[in-house]
Amino acid sequence: MPSSRTGRPPVQRAVRRPPAPRPPRDNALTRAYTRAQRAWDRPLTAYYLIVGGSALITVLGLVMVYSASQITALQMGLTGSYFFRKQLLAAVIGGALLYAASRMPVKLHRGLAYPILAGAVFLMALVQVPGIGMAVNGNQNWISLGGSFQIQPSEFGKLALVLWGADLMARKQDKNLLNQWKHMLVPLVPMAFLLLGLIMLGGDMGTAIILTAILFGLLWLAGAPTRMFVGVLSVAATLGVILIKTSPNRMARLACIGATDPGAGDSCWQAVHGIYALASGGLFGSGLGASVEKWGQLPEAHTDFIFAVTGEELGLAGTLSVLALFAALGYAGIRVAGRTEDPFVRYAAGGVTTWITAQAVINIGAVLGLLPIAGVPLPLFSYGGSALLPTMFAIGLLIAFARDDPAARAALAMRQPRFGRKRGAGGSGSARSARSWNTMRRRASARSSGER
C-alpha cells in the first residue's frame, strides 16, 4: 500500500451514494381523493345513494309540481294547490309501498311476480272495454276510479315485466337453460309483445318504448348473443318505424326535433316553448315560482315538461342537480346488479335501473329538443300518481337488494343506537362491541359479496 508523505497510510474515503428519492408529498388533493375513494367503496354506498337520491328527487319534484301546476289549476277553476295535494297523497302512499318493498325478503318479491303480471294484463285489457277505459290526450290508457282519480295500468306493466322477467330468467339460469336461444326468448319476448300490443292499442308509444328498453335490458343481462340481440332490435325498430309512419301525429312530433320555431299551425309549439323556458333560466334561474312559460304558454308544464320549468326557475344549476341525482341513482342500481350473486337480484335490479334511466333520458331528451316528444313523465319528479306508485315500489326493490348484500348487512348490524345506552358499563360494553365487530367482520369476509 503506498504511503503518504508523513508515513501514515492514506485515509479511506467513503464512497458517496446518490441520495434516496424522497417520497412524494401527500398534498390535500391526494388525501381528499383517497378519502373519497374509500367512502365510495364502502358496502353501504349504493344503499345511501338509492335512499338519498330517490328522496331528494321526490321532494324536489313535489316542490316543482306545486310551482308549475298553480296556474293550470287556477285556469281550470280549482285551488292553486289542487295538483300538489294529489301528488303529495300519492307520494305518501308510494312511501308506504317503498318501505314495504324495502323490508320484503327476496322470496316474497319473486312470489309477487305472477300476481302483479296477471293484474297488470287484466287492467290493461280492461282499458279497451268501452265505458270503462278513458282517453286522455288522445291515448286510450286510463281507467276512472271515481271523482278526479284515475289509474294508468300501463305504468304497472313496467313493474310487472321487471319482476316476472327477472324471476323467469333466474329460474332458467339455475337450470342452465339460457345457453339455448329458444329458452332465452320464450316466453319472455312473447309476453313482452303482449304487453306492448295492449299498450299500443291505446296509442301510448312512449310507454311502449320504455317496455322495449326493459326487455332489451333483461336480454343483455342474460348474456344474449349479438346476433339474437340485433335480431330482436331489428324487429322492434321495424315495428316502430311502421307505427310512426302510419301516424301523422307521431310524424309531426318527429319533425319537431331541434325546432326553434313553432312552425305552420303551431305544430311544434310545446317543443319550442320548452326550449324558451330553459333558455330564459340562465345560470341560477329566475327564482322559484317566477316562471313565465307556465302561464299558459307551455302545455303540460307540471307533467311531461316539468324539467323545462325547473330550468327556467332554478337555472342550469337546478337542471344539473336533477341530472346528477338521476346519474347517482343509475350508478347505484348498476352497482347493486353487478355485485350480487343472486340471479334474480341481478335481473330485477338491472331491469329497474334500465326502466328509470331510459325514461329519464327520453323525457329530458324531449325537453331539450334532442328526441321526439314521447309523452312519458320524469320518474319520481313529474305529476302523476299512476307513474309515482310503481316507481317508488321499484325503488324499494333496489333498497331491499342493496340491504341484502352480506357486507351491507354486516355494516347495518354493527350500527349502534346513539340514545338509550346504559352508563357505567364502559369496560364490558366496549369489550362486547369489539367482539361483535370482529364476529361481524369474520362473517362478512366468509361470505362472498363482491364488495371490496
Side-chain angles (χ1 to χ4, degrees), residues 205-231:
M205 191 168 183
T207 304
I209 294 175
I210 306 300
L211 255 73
T212 305
I214 295 173
L215 173 62
F216 288 150
L218 292 174
L219 291 176
W220 182 273
L221 291 171
T226 306
R227 291 178 298 175
M228 181 186 303
F229 200 81
V230 172

Side-chain angles (χ1 to χ4, degrees), residues 94-182:
L97 292 176
L98 184 149
Y99 180 80
S102 65
R103 294 294 176 175
M104 289 181 185
V106 175
K107 291 183 178 180
L108 184 55
H109 287 145
R110 300 187 68 168
L112 290 175
Y114 282 88
I116 292 179
L117 177 65
V121 171
F122 174 75
L123 292 177
M124 291 168 66
L126 204 61
V127 168
Q128 306 305 322
V129 177
I132 298 179
M134 294 179 56
V136 178
N137 295 330
N139 292 337
Q140 182 83 12
N141 52 7
W142 296 83
I143 295 177
S144 177
L145 299 180
S148 61
F149 292 95
Q150 302 168 354
I151 186 174
Q152 187 176 1
S154 58
E155 293 291 338
F156 295 89
K158 305 172 186 177
L159 178 63
L161 181 60
V162 168
L163 285 177
W164 177 80
D167 178 68
L168 175 69
M169 303 305 277
R171 286 189 287 109
K172 289 195 173 187
Q173 181 173 334
D174 292 338
K175 298 178 181 179
N176 297 322
L177 297 176
L178 291 181
N179 54 356
Q180 304 177 27
W181 68 268
K182 59 180 181 180

Side-chain angles (χ1 to χ4, degrees), residues 38-77:
R38 289 177 180 174
W40 198 253
D41 290 335
R42 289 178 180 174
L44 292 176
T45 298
Y47 172 76
Y48 288 132
L49 284 177
I50 296 170
V51 174
S54 59
L56 289 175
I57 293 174
T58 305
V59 172
L60 182 58
L62 287 171
V63 174
M64 293 311 304
V65 165
Y66 181 65
S67 175
S69 65
Q70 290 183 17
I71 306 304
T72 303
L74 293 175
Q75 289 175 346
M76 297 173 62

Side-chain angles (χ1 to χ4, degrees), residues 24 26 28 39 48 159 165 179 213 266 289 309 314-315 317 351 392-393 397 404 411:
D26 191 12
Y48 288 132
L159 178 63
N179 54 356
D266 294 333
V309 179
L314 303 182
M392 295 193 75
F393 187 89
L397 288 178
D404 192 60

Side-chain angles (χ1 to χ4, degrees), residues 242-253:
I242 295 174
L243 292 172
I244 292 175
K245 288 288 187 179
T246 55
S247 174
N249 183 31
R250 297 189 186 110
M251 287 296 298
R253 291 186 179 187

Side-chain angles (χ1 to χ4, degrees), residues 186-385:
V186 180
L188 177 63
V189 175
M191 179 56 67
F193 280 3
L194 172 63
L195 295 175
L196 291 172
L198 291 174
I199 291 174
M200 289 308 301
L201 284 177
D204 189 3
M205 191 168 183
T207 304
I209 294 175
I210 306 300
L211 255 73
T212 305
I214 295 173
L215 173 62
F216 288 150
L218 292 174
L219 291 176
W220 182 273
L221 291 171
T226 306
R227 291 178 298 175
M228 181 186 303
F229 200 81
V230 172
V232 177
L233 183 60
S234 301
V235 173
T238 303
L239 293 176
V241 170
I242 295 174
L243 292 172
I244 292 175
K245 288 288 187 179
T246 55
S247 174
N249 183 31
R250 297 189 186 110
M251 287 296 298
R253 291 186 179 187
L254 192 64
C256 292
I257 297 178
T260 56
D261 185 84
D266 294 333
S267 58
C268 298
W269 179 274
Q270 186 179 25
V272 171
H273 278 271
I275 298 296
Y276 289 168
L278 290 172
S280 60
L283 188 59
F284 296 104
S286 58
L288 191 63
S291 170
V292 176
E293 289 293 333
K294 68 183 181 183
W295 286 76
Q297 299 296 322
L298 179 63
E300 307 296 336
H302 60 297
T303 54
D304 300 343
F305 271 69
I306 194 172
F307 188 77
V309 179
T310 304
E312 185 179 5
E313 295 187 351
L314 303 182
L316 180 63
T319 55
L320 290 181
S321 299
V322 174
L323 291 176
L325 289 173
F326 276 108
L329 193 60
Y331 167 80
I334 294 174
R335 177 168 172 161
V336 171
R339 298 197 174 193
T340 183
E341 295 186 355
D342 189 335
F344 173 79
V345 173
R346 180 168 63 254
Y347 292 125
V352 171
T353 306
T354 303
W355 162 14
I356 295 176
T357 305
Q359 187 165 328
V361 169
I362 292 173
N363 177 275
I364 296 174
V367 174
L368 295 177
L370 303 176
L371 296 173
I373 299 175
V376 295
L378 190 59
L380 302 173
F381 203 83
S382 297
Y383 170 79

